[in-house]
Each structure stands twice: as structure tokens, then as C-alpha cells.
Amino acid sequence: MTSEPGVSDDWLVDRLAPRPVVEGDLIHRGKVWDLRGEVVDLGESQVLREFVDHPGAVAVIALDEQDRVLLLQQYRHPVRHDLWEPPAGLLDVEGEELVLAAARELAEEADLRAASWWRLVEVFTTPGGSNERIVVFLARDLSAVPDHELFERTDEEALMVPVWVPLDDAVDAVLAGRLHSPTTVTGVLAAAAARARGWSTLERVALG
């Protein structure tokens, strides 16, 4: 389906369209997310769907003055891989604004602050099996977090390896299938596409 000349392209948008939930059960309550089962009325039929109930997350594509992107190597046990990812984290602070959560994660995982922020892209990571939604921000005008404010990282985060990669090299790695994290793939490609448009398509956001 394509729009005819003179017809708006606004139809090409994912729209919120919830179906009635007939019944629902909490199958498992986890430390970070839960597993739920819901019977959904589709009109012609009712179906049982099980899914991960996720709090959501944010990620940060941090670019320096040389258009290098910061990636962190982190072990992800479900896929048994060391993945190269941007700084990211859960929306686990009640009432916290998205951009403030992103700034917090940038400071905690990369010891960095950013003076300039844009909303870059957002994605449902696994819409057939989870309601996880990740909002990816672009951060620029970077500076180091003062030593007395450094965050003490633990568990997998304590072993993260940071690297600065030219954005074009990161794009090549994504297109060659060498990088697999959804925040890396979507964030890197979105940043490259936005740069090609002179950054004019991005929505700037303010901290606080």
C-alpha cells in the first residue's frame, strides 16, 4: 500500500489499538520482569497469549566531537554472548522522566554527562512475546562525571569494556551482521540516518 500524490503519509504509523482482555493470570513474578498469560478477545476468536511484562528501558547513543559512538561490551547470559551495546538501563525509578533515566544510565555505565539530548528512535524489542519498549536517545557535548560522583558498578556491569567507534565503522559492523544488540542496531542506524539528514529530523529534549 502506498499513498497517492497529494495524500498524507500519516497512515504509515503504528497505532495503539488494545483488544479486550477476558482474563489474565500472573504466571511468574520475577526479580526484574514478570510472565503473564492473558486471554484476548479478537472479535472472531479468543486466544491465550503469554508474554514478558517488562518495565521498559532507555539507551543512549553518545557521540563525541569526532562522531565516534561509545559502545560497551557486556555479557548477556540468555544469548551467551558478549555484546557491544550503548549505555542502557531499565525504567526502574518510579516517575522518572525518560531523558533523566537515560542521563542516569550514561553516568552510571560510562561515567559521562551530556549537555545536549535528542530523542532518536524507539522500538518494541520482541512485540510477539514481550511488552518491552526501549527509547533511544542521542547525547552530545560530553564531559566526564566528577570523581566524587562516580557510580560503583557491580555484577556484569563491573566487567564492561568501553570503546569509541567511528559511527561509519559501527554502521558497517551492523550491516555485516557482526553486531546484534537491538539498541546497537537501531541506535547506530538511526544516528547515521539522522546525520545524513543534517540532524534536522530529531526532537531535542531538555534535562529536567
Side-chain angles (χ1 to χ4, degrees):
M1 179 180 179
T2 57
S3 60
E4 298 178 358
V7 177
S8 172
D9 288 331
D10 291 346
W11 61 268
L12 188 60
V13 58
D14 296 333
R15 60 188 178 90
L16 182 65
R19 277 32 171 195
V21 175
V22 177
E23 61 180 275
D25 293 303
L26 176 63
I27 299 171
H28 171 74
R29 183 174 299 280
K31 180 180 178 181
V32 178
W33 47 71
D34 301 331
L35 180 63
R36 295 187 178 276
E38 294 184 346
V39 177
V40 185
D41 187 351
L42 300 179
E44 298 295 326
S45 63
Q46 294 183 352
V47 296
L48 171 64
R49 292 292 177 260
E50 296 175 348
F51 62 94
V52 172
D53 189 11
H54 195 284
V58 290
V60 183
I61 296 297
L63 286 183
D64 67 8
E65 294 178 353
Q66 289 78 46
D67 274 1
R68 297 182 304 171
V69 59
L70 175 64
L71 296 178
L72 309 171
Q73 189 180 62
Q74 183 172 357
Y75 176 65
R76 295 297 190 181
H77 184 69
V79 295
R80 273 67 169 179
H81 273 64
D82 289 327
L83 298 180
W84 288 106
E85 302 180 334
L90 298 171
L91 296 175
D92 52 6
V93 176
E94 184 70 25
E96 187 176 36
E97 294 182 18
L98 292 175
V99 68
L100 293 180
R104 174 173 54 81
E105 292 296 340
L106 182 63
E108 291 180 359
E109 294 196 348
D111 303 329
L112 290 174
R113 291 173 172 172
S116 301
W117 291 85
W118 293 264
R119 195 181 184 105
L120 183 60
V121 69
E122 61 183 83
V123 60
F124 291 121
T125 57
T126 316
S130 172
N131 60 4
E132 180 183 18
R133 169 176 168 259
I134 298 181
V135 179
V136 185
F137 290 89
L138 173 69
R140 307 209 70 167
D141 299 323
L142 306 170
S143 61
V145 171
D147 289 345
H148 68 279
E149 295 182 17
L150 292 177
F151 182 79
E152 184 177 352
R153 293 184 281 271
T154 61
D155 302 326
E156 290 94 340
E157 291 183 353
L159 304 174
M160 290 190 303
V161 178
V163 296
W164 288 95
V165 182
L167 182 57
D168 289 335
D169 291 351
V171 169
D172 290 343
V174 167
L175 297 180
R178 301 197 304 271
L179 299 177
H180 305 90
S181 168
T183 49
T184 305
V185 172
T186 58
V188 162
L189 295 183
R195 184 183 62 180
R197 291 163 173 78
W199 308 109
S200 62
T201 60
L202 298 187
E203 173 192 352
R204 189 157 189 168
V205 292
L207 290 175

